């Protein structure tokens, strides 16, 4: 192992431009994947933000008794997926309407009586904001005699769910295509680096070196080059993120685990590409 490490370091010093080419090829290839990951992550966050605003509103009759409403709150809170339930009084509903509907502020403040009903606002946990879960809670609310109407925007929620599915499918297909192209570019770059040192491989074979002994330095070179390329890809993605964030629109940076995954992917790509390239060369020799 120590020999393989020494030889790998010597190779970097002997052919710095070739090594740099491999690192840059890996870095740029994974940078494209990183840009797509950044885009997909922010699209997913935007959809999740929309989903987080989904709530069920049950409008109550004016003669609803407080005891009945309290019992309903406790009952509904036990349903699967319910995150919170909040009672909104008639007065609170009017205050909210005055604040949010500014064009009707004068009309609302000059009313002789409050026409807005009290309501129950129910928010669901992530993973339970689909039409089926919302419909189940809405049906339970509708079963109470003091509930006048239940609304959660069925059509709107359905469109959000469809959008999430389309975004997920597109992410998987396009992301997989980018990853495949990156793998091909990385493999080509590493194969060129191995081919450039074919004479060194031939000499080692002539002196009786085993295939494993020959492969060792190349595998370490591929691992190091892939790791460096992964770091370069993350750095380039971060630079692109900062430029867009400062000049175009606000974005969220990728989770740390995603960045580490990108670096790890570069190292694995480099290692596997080196292994395949050297093995093919040895078989063909």
């Amino acid at each position: 192992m120590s020999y393989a490490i020494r030889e790998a370091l010597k190779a970097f010093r002997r052919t710095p431009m070739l090594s740099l080419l491999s690192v840059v090829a890996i870095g740029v290839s994974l940078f494209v994947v990183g840009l797509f990951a950044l885009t997909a992550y922010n699209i997913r966050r935007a959809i999740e933000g929309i989903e987080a605003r989904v709530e069920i509103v049950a409008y109550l009759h004016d003669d609803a008794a407080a005891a009945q409403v309290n019992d309903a709150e406790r009952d509904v809170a036990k349903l699967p997926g319910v995150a919170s339930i909040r009672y909104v009084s008639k007065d609170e509903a009017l205050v909210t309407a005055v604040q949010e509907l500014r064009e009707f502020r004068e009309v609302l403040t000059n009313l002789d009586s409050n026409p807005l009903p009290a309501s129950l606002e129910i928010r669901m946990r992530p993973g339970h904001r689909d039409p089926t879960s919302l419909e189940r809670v809405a049906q339970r609310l509708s079963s109470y005699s003091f509930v006048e109407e239940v609304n959660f925007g069925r059509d709107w929620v359905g469109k959000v769910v469809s959008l999430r599915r389309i975004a997920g499918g597109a992410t998987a297909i396009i992301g997989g295509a980018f990853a495949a192209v990156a793998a091909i570019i990385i493999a080509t770059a590493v194969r060129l680096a191995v081919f450039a040192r074919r004479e060194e491989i031939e000499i080692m074979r002539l002196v009786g070196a085993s295939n494993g002994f020959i492969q060792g330095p190349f595998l370490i070179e591929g691992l190091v080059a892939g790791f460096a390329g992964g770091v370069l890809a993350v750095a380039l993605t971060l630079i692109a993120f900062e430029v867009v964030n400062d000049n175009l629109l606000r974005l969220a940076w990728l989770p740390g685990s995603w960045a580490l995954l990108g670096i790890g992917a570069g190292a694995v790509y480099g290692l596997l590409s080196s292994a395949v390239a050297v093995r093919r060369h040895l078989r063909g020799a």
Side-chain angles (χ1 to χ4, degrees), residues 206-224:
L206 289 174
V207 298
S210 64
N211 288 347
F213 187 83
I214 296 173
Q215 286 179 330
F218 289 98
L219 295 181
I220 294 177
E221 285 179 53
L223 180 66
V224 173

Side-chain angles (χ1 to χ4, degrees), residues 15 82 198 205 210 259 262 277:
T15 56
V82 174
R198 60 190 182 280
R205 286 175 61 86
S210 64

Side-chain angles (χ1 to χ4, degrees), residues 4 17 19 24 26 29 40 44 63 90 109 134 185 208 214 227 259 284:
M17 292 302 298
S19 300
V24 171
I26 295 173
S29 300
R44 192 183 77 176
D63 59 355
K90 291 172 61 68
T109 53
L134 295 170
I185 295 174
I214 296 173
F227 179 84

Side-chain angles (χ1 to χ4, degrees), residues 92-279:
E92 186 177 352
L94 181 60
V95 171
T96 302
V98 170
Q99 292 175 347
E100 296 182 354
L101 303 175
R102 296 182 179 180
E103 61 273 23
F104 299 106
R105 179 174 297 177
E106 185 176 349
V107 175
L108 292 171
T109 53
N110 292 327
L111 292 172
D112 295 331
S113 61
N114 184 356
L116 301 181
S119 62
L120 292 175
E121 295 180 351
I122 296 90
R123 289 191 175 274
M124 304 295 287
R125 295 190 182 95
H128 295 272
R129 293 165 182 160
D130 57 281
T132 302
S133 299
L134 295 170
E135 187 67 45
R136 182 172 58 249
V137 176
Q139 288 178 357
R140 176 65 66 88
L141 290 166
S142 298
S143 67
Y144 297 110
S145 60
F146 57 86
V147 172
E148 181 177 1
E149 182 184 0
V150 180
N151 182 34
F152 62 86
R154 290 174 176 80
D155 295 338
W156 182 73
V157 171
K159 291 178 181 179
V160 172
V161 172
S162 299
L163 180 61
R164 171 183 274 276
R165 290 175 180 171
I166 292 172
T171 298
I173 295 173
I174 300 175
F178 279 143
V181 172
I184 293 172
I185 295 174
I186 292 169
T188 302
V190 173
R191 189 176 301 173
L192 288 174
V194 172
F195 183 77
R197 295 170 58 189
R198 60 190 182 280
E199 293 182 358
E200 178 183 338
I201 296 175
E202 291 300 325
I203 293 173
M204 295 180 70
R205 286 175 61 86
L206 289 174
V207 298
S210 64
N211 288 347
F213 187 83
I214 296 173
Q215 286 179 330
F218 289 98
L219 295 181
I220 294 177
E221 285 179 53
L223 180 66
V224 173
F227 179 84
V231 173
L232 176 61
V234 172
L236 292 174
T237 305
L238 180 59
I239 292 173
F241 164 77
E242 294 291 349
V243 170
V244 173
N245 213 34
D246 292 340
N247 298 284
L248 296 177
L249 69 159
R250 303 296 296 178
L251 296 176
W253 175 241
L254 295 172
S257 58
W258 288 33
L260 292 176
L261 181 62
I263 295 174
V268 171
Y269 274 141
L271 178 66
L272 294 179
S273 298
S274 292
V276 172
V278 176
R279 185 170 299 176

